[in-house]
Amino acid sequence: MSYARQRRRLRARLTAFVLAVACLAGLAGQAGAAGPDGRDHDRPGRPVADDGFAAGGDLTMLNWVEDSGGRYYDERGRRADPVRLLAANGMDLARLRVYTATGPDHPRIGYPDSYLPEGYQDTADMLDLARRVTGNGMKIQLTLHYSDYWSNGLIQDIPSEWRDVTDLPEDQAVAALEEHVRDYTREIMLDMRDQGTLPAYVSLGNEMQGGLLFPYGRTDSEQGWENLARFLRAGYEAVKEVSPSTQVILHLDDAGNMDKYEWFFSTADAHGIPYDVIGSSYYPFWTRKDIPTVTPFFERLHERFGRKIMVMETGINWNPVTHDGVEGQLTDNGPVPYPETPQGQADFLTDLFRQLREVDDGAVIGDIYWDPVMIPAPGVGWEVGQPNVVSNTTLFDFQGRALPALRAFRTA
């Protein structure tokens, strides 16, 4: 085991001990009876009530970056714990994504060389980060990919450990996947409750406008919608069984596309799919919409479906190119009037947070930045062997020094 991994494990144990002491102090005399699996099913985790607009960031990559040599500094160049620094500047929500399994034995279907790093972005890694962010006062937004690999509208691979269902007749395969979703979701929620880090929000899938668990849960057919409804209902019920107060999110891309959201959520309602919050990705580059255009969309969306909205992903360039000197994932900043500079990034986030908070009826309850911490580090990329294409959208510069954009979180 590497020194960095040993240090991370020691840090995790210390944080878990502190959380356990705090939890026991607050729950003395209130222990519930253990269930048949040996867990205390009546014991609550940390409070998850929403107390206003959440200014968040996706911290999923942090352990990989740090263990690969990435270092973080404040604006004055002093070495800093990035979670503590982000929290001190007002970031109060951490998005943590989790995959069912990672490493070379769990590649993308049909692409054996496309896989995520072993030991990172899996359940153990997520639980470690959950302890760390909770210990710094952040709430958690947990995203369950239900896949071993990145998932979005086009990629929704069945996890490798579930793929034996493809040998079954379709009705049996769907029933088996439904139970996999229920059991997996429940187990992760119990793990989080047992360590006192229950999530405030859980997203069932990532940008899942195309569905889940392809080909069974695709949204391009009526049968696919019926299957998807079963999967999502199983996930929803598993979350609520463990933590009734946790809010369940359905997350789509392309903020501002009312036709897409009307189609998806009206069809979801017709199939009786339960959810609490609408999740939406907003990047000026991908959506080609500025802030004054997208905020009325959120207002209309709230009026139409009666749900609050969490902006699950937002990103913008602070530099035109990555640390490698090439264009990154976002080749420009779209139609917004903010240059690709550190100050332009800061001004964008300041204006975005302010205008989202001003949406009628408090319709938007938070915004999660992507990716604040994926600074350059040897070997770290969007998958193993691939480059880091978002090093110019982070909240830290190429040397790991905090950018002015962190200040935007102080007033969010």
Side-chain angles (χ1 to χ4, degrees):
M1 182 184 296
S2 68
Y3 172 72
R5 185 69 66 87
Q6 290 177 328
R7 184 181 59 201
R8 179 155 62 93
R9 181 167 292 181
L10 178 62
R11 181 185 66 216
R13 288 173 177 169
L14 178 61
T15 305
F17 174 76
V18 172
L19 288 174
V21 171
C23 187
L24 287 172
L27 296 170
Q30 299 181 26
D37 57 3
R39 300 179 188 267
D40 181 359
H41 291 274
D42 294 326
R43 180 170 66 82
R46 295 173 62 87
V48 295
D50 182 57
D51 58 357
F53 185 87
D58 190 315
L59 305 187
T60 307
M61 304 292 288
L62 185 56
N63 281 339
W64 188 17
V65 172
E66 288 186 317
D67 288 352
S68 300
R71 298 292 179 263
Y72 298 86
Y73 305 86
D74 66 16
E75 285 193 77
R76 294 172 59 184
R78 298 172 299 188
R79 179 79 179 274
D81 178 325
V83 178
R84 187 174 303 166
L85 182 61
L86 291 167
N89 277 277
M91 183 177 287
D92 54 10
L93 181 68
R95 184 188 187 201
L96 303 179
R97 293 172 289 105
V98 64
Y99 300 88
T100 41
T102 56
D105 294 334
H106 306 278
R108 180 182 172 194
I109 293 177
Y111 297 86
D113 295 327
S114 295
Y115 58 91
L116 301 178
E118 186 170 11
Y120 298 101
Q121 305 177 69
D122 59 9
T123 300
D125 187 50
M126 180 276 294
L127 291 171
D128 173 64
L129 285 169
R131 292 188 293 267
R132 186 173 176 185
V133 302
T134 304
N136 280 278
M138 293 185 185
K139 294 182 294 184
I140 294 171
Q141 189 286 302
L142 175 68
T143 292
L144 300 170
H145 277 255
Y146 299 117
S147 179
D148 296 341
Y149 187 78
W150 297 88
S151 58
N152 55 39
L154 299 176
I155 307 170
Q156 296 285 345
D157 285 354
I158 295 175
S160 54
E161 294 178 0
W162 304 359
R163 290 176 198 164
D164 56 355
V165 303
T166 59
D167 296 328
L168 301 173
E170 182 169 346
D171 59 338
Q172 295 180 33
V174 171
L177 287 172
E178 181 181 10
E179 287 309 302
H180 279 310
V181 169
R182 187 183 306 278
D183 293 344
Y184 171 75
T185 305
R186 181 176 179 273
E187 190 68 21
I188 284 186
M189 289 294 293
L190 288 170
D191 285 343
M192 297 192 79
R193 186 174 71 176
D194 284 355
Q195 68 173 20
T197 61
L198 275 173
Y201 306 95
V202 171
S203 174
L204 305 179
N206 175 73
E207 292 188 338
M208 43 74 68
Q209 60 275 1
L212 295 175
L213 301 169
F214 289 176
Y216 302 100
R218 296 183 67 101
T219 57
D220 57 2
S221 71
E222 174 59 26
Q223 185 60 57
W225 268 103
E226 292 178 6
N227 297 341
L228 178 62
R230 293 176 62 175
F231 302 153
L232 292 174
R233 192 173 298 111
Y236 183 92
E237 291 171 354
V239 170
K240 297 294 186 175
E241 175 188 345
V242 178
S243 177
S245 61
T246 295
Q247 300 290 287
V248 174
I249 298 174
L250 299 184
H251 172 200
L252 278 58
D253 68 352
D254 203 12
N257 186 340
M258 193 64 191
D259 288 343
K260 176 182 289 187
Y261 282 73
E262 172 66 35
W263 158 75
F264 184 93
F265 285 102
S266 62
T267 310
D269 287 349
H271 286 83
I273 295 174
Y275 66 99
D276 303 310
V277 175
I278 293 174
S280 182
S281 293
Y282 170 54
Y283 297 84
F285 168 74
W286 294 114
T287 66
R288 313 312 294 182
K289 292 177 176 61
D290 61 10
I291 301 171
T293 300
V294 79
T295 48
F297 158 76
F298 292 133
E299 183 176 327
R300 293 194 304 273
L301 192 60
H302 173 58
E303 291 175 350
R304 173 66 179 85
F305 293 102
R307 305 301 206 284
K308 300 291 188 177
I309 295 114
M310 177 71 75
V311 182
M312 294 286 288
E313 297 179 21
T314 290
I316 198 165
N317 292 339
W318 60 265
N319 197 62
V321 295
T322 72
H323 64 290
D324 291 322
V326 299
E327 287 185 337
Q329 184 180 46
L330 312 178
T331 59
D332 61 54
N333 277 349
V336 296
Y338 308 95
E340 295 174 284
T341 64
Q343 190 58 48
Q345 180 194 45
D347 291 343
F348 167 76
L349 281 178
T350 299
D351 289 347
L352 176 64
F353 291 155
R354 176 180 57 80
Q355 293 184 53
L356 290 178
R357 292 188 69 121
E358 292 173 353
V359 174
D360 285 353
D361 196 31
V364 180
I365 58 176
D367 185 288
I368 302 173
Y369 193 79
W370 170 280
D371 181 303
V373 296
M374 196 173 168
I375 62 173
V380 173
W382 61 273
E383 65 176 37
V384 172
Q386 295 299 316
N388 179 344
V389 295
V390 296
S391 64
N392 61 325
T393 70
T394 52
L395 297 179
F396 299 85
D397 68 16
F398 298 147
Q399 288 73 47
R401 189 164 180 161
L403 290 164
L406 259 69
R407 302 175 198 162
F409 289 81
R410 301 176 189 174
T411 58

